[in-house]
Amino acid sequence: MRKGNIIKFWNRIDKDGPMIMDTPCWIWTGRKDNLGYGHSRLGGKHTTAHRIVWILTYGEIRDNLFVLHKCDNPSCCNPSHLFLGTQ
């Protein structure tokens, strides 16, 4: 992802979301699916916004792992609300 695209991506996140945990949810303001999950592109591949946030913050995701929400808010992109796990 190019630097300009990374800036545009982060600009689509509202960091003043609801306080579901000790820190606020960061709400994706771009395109969302019918379940509320944000969607964008990373390296030309369509994926969920919270998955892109994980990759930009923590690095690659091992095969067969999902990026899950501690806050149960599908549009949340706060890295501290995310964790890796299995379905």
Side-chain angles (χ1 to χ4, degrees):
M1 185 178 263
R2 293 184 339 198
K3 184 177 180 179
N5 291 339
I6 292 172
I7 292 168
K8 287 179 188 177
F9 176 84
W10 285 111
N11 285 337
R12 290 189 181 108
I13 296 173
D14 176 5
K15 295 183 179 179
D16 294 319
M19 289 289 288
I20 295 177
M21 298 178 51
D22 291 339
T23 57
C25 287
W26 295 2
I27 305 302
W28 178 253
T29 62
R31 190 176 76 76
K32 297 178 189 175
D33 65 20
N34 61 347
L35 297 175
Y37 290 96
H39 287 269
S40 191
R41 290 185 175 272
L42 178 63
K45 183 179 176 187
H46 191 89
T47 190
T48 55
H50 65 283
R51 190 170 179 89
I52 294 171
V53 165
W54 181 277
I55 293 167
L56 293 175
T57 305
Y58 301 114
E60 291 300 315
I61 302 165
R62 290 192 338 237
D63 290 342
N64 301 321
L65 289 180
F66 293 83
V67 179
L68 307 171
H69 294 89
K70 296 176 192 175
C71 59
D72 291 327
N73 183 348
S75 62
C76 181
C77 291
N78 185 334
S80 70
H81 292 197
L82 304 174
F83 67 101
L84 293 179
T86 59
Q87 197 168 14

